[in-house]
Amino acid sequence: MVKIVEGSTTPPSLLTESELVDKMHSNGIGTDATIADHVQKVQDRCYTFLVSDGRRRRGNNGDTAASTSNCRRSRFHPSNLGVALIEGYKNMEAKGMFTPDLRRQMERDVQLISENKRKAEEVIEEALVQMEGVFNAVSSRSKVLDESVRKWCNGNQNKPGFHPYDLAPI
């Protein structure tokens, strides 16, 4: 017997820093030595903001708006720029740009080089072929990405005095 229940779905909760690190580990992205840099880069590039008590924290290139000492309560919120890039890359069908697959493969290959299981020259040649494919795909459909950025960022990035942090979390 099937029971139909009326209701609505809710989006998954936003990630804490430790949840993001766990996801990176499970997707084979980064090492213990590099993960903190990756997490900081997405903030410095204004793809996301770490929010605590309703206030956002800027990356190293901006002032901190709130204390984030309690990482369990702080969650990453995507910025309009971050959403625009993901949507644009999805619409471009540039899978390597919005999924962990390409990065995971590169990390594995580097590990195999360090273990002398692969030759660096082979890995570099394969990576160049892959990157050329991604570059060509993205270049040929760049207007799709432009549309997404315009949609989410309202052209504010061209105004005098604009700062990427003005692309507030959605």
Side-chain angles (χ1 to χ4, degrees), residues 40-54:
Q40 190 60 51
K41 268 187 190 141
V42 296
Q43 294 175 81
D44 290 346
R45 292 177 179 170
C46 303
Y47 302 152
T48 187
F49 299 94
L50 192 56
V51 176
S52 175
D53 299 327

Side-chain angles (χ1 to χ4, degrees), residues 42 45 47 80-100 102 131 133-152:
V42 296
R45 292 177 179 170
Y47 302 152
N80 288 1
L81 176 60
V83 173
L85 292 173
I86 295 295
E87 178 185 275
Y89 290 137
K90 281 184 178 180
N91 291 342
M92 295 169 83
E93 299 175 10
K95 188 176 180 199
M97 298 298 289
F98 68 91
T99 64
L102 186 60
M131 291 297 122
V134 170
F135 176 79
N136 289 335
V138 169
S139 296
S140 68
R141 303 201 66 216
S142 63
K143 288 184 181 181
V144 173
L145 184 60
D146 289 345
E147 289 170 16
S148 188
V149 170
R150 244 187 301 288
K151 170 184 164 186
W152 285 97

Side-chain angles (χ1 to χ4, degrees), residues 14-159:
L14 298 169
L15 298 176
T16 64
E17 192 162 357
S18 63
E19 291 166 340
L20 176 60
V21 168
D22 289 345
K23 284 209 173 278
M24 292 174 72
H25 276 301
S26 69
N27 280 289
I29 297 174
T31 65
D32 290 341
T34 63
I35 281 185
D37 288 337
H38 293 311
V39 171
Q40 190 60 51
K41 268 187 190 141
V42 296
Q43 294 175 81
D44 290 346
R45 292 177 179 170
C46 303
Y47 302 152
T48 187
F49 299 94
L50 192 56
V51 176
S52 175
D53 299 327
R55 294 174 290 174
R56 65 183 170 193
R57 178 185 150 215
R58 295 182 175 184
N60 280 341
N61 58 356
D63 297 327
T64 299
S67 169
T68 56
S69 58
N70 187 348
C71 287
R72 282 185 293 259
R73 288 195 346 225
S74 299
R75 297 200 176 269
F76 285 100
H77 289 248
S79 69
N80 288 1
L81 176 60
V83 173
L85 292 173
I86 295 295
E87 178 185 275
Y89 290 137
K90 281 184 178 180
N91 291 342
M92 295 169 83
E93 299 175 10
K95 188 176 180 199
M97 298 298 289
F98 68 91
T99 64
D101 304 335
L102 186 60
R103 181 61 182 251
R104 178 185 320 132
Q105 186 60 49
M106 292 175 124
E107 300 262 358
R108 280 187 196 143
D109 288 341
V110 168
Q111 182 63 35
L112 292 172
I113 292 169
S114 73
E115 296 169 355
N116 291 318
K117 294 180 180 175
R118 291 218 51 203
K119 294 189 183 281
E121 295 80 17
E122 293 171 358
V123 169
I124 291 169
E125 183 61 34
E126 287 174 14
L128 286 172
V129 168
Q130 269 187 314
M131 291 297 122
E132 184 178 27
V134 170
F135 176 79
N136 289 335
V138 169
S139 296
S140 68
R141 303 201 66 216
S142 63
K143 288 184 181 181
V144 173
L145 184 60
D146 289 345
E147 289 170 16
S148 188
V149 170
R150 244 187 301 288
K151 170 184 164 186
W152 285 97
C153 302
N154 293 328
N156 290 329
Q157 64 276 17
N158 296 322
K159 292 181 181 174

